[in-house]
Amino acid sequence: MTVRVVLPGLLRDLADGAAELPVEVGDGAALSDVLDRAFEPWPVLGRRVRDERGEIRRHVNVFVDGEDAKRLEGVATPVGGSATVHVVNAVSGG
């Protein structure tokens, strides 16, 4: 099954300009597996999204079918075979 990983404009340059990265995984694969496969050709992109422990960085949000992965099971969140994963840079300011 194909999962779509959608990148924000700020990260597309790190994936040769791609807005979406299709990833073939089995149904119920962990989000960490999806991200590993999606970012395999672009390790710099992977390091911008995940820290050295493999967790989602503090200033990055990842949504699986509209649900915030950090509020679910983090990188252990199961991803359905036809899911859409959105990577979003967190916006902060004051």
Side-chain angles (χ1 to χ4, degrees):
M1 302 225 176
T2 303
V3 173
R4 292 178 29 221
V5 178
V6 181
L7 300 175
L10 293 172
L11 295 179
R12 291 178 187 168
D13 286 346
L14 300 175
D16 297 331
E20 289 187 13
L21 307 173
V23 179
E24 293 294 325
V25 294
D27 194 34
L31 178 59
S32 60
D33 295 332
V34 172
L35 297 177
D36 286 346
R37 290 184 187 197
F39 302 152
E40 185 175 12
W42 303 285
V44 173
L45 174 58
R47 288 190 300 272
R48 291 282 299 271
V49 174
R50 296 166 70 191
D51 64 21
E52 53 282 340
R53 294 173 293 130
E55 299 297 326
I56 300 165
R57 289 194 179 275
R58 186 172 135 209
H59 295 292
V60 175
N61 293 315
V62 177
F63 296 88
V64 177
D65 286 336
E67 297 289 328
D68 186 351
K70 290 179 183 175
R71 294 178 187 244
L72 298 171
E73 298 176 47
V75 293
T77 299
V79 179
S82 60
T84 300
V85 174
H86 284 88
V87 177
V88 180
N89 290 2
V91 179
S92 62

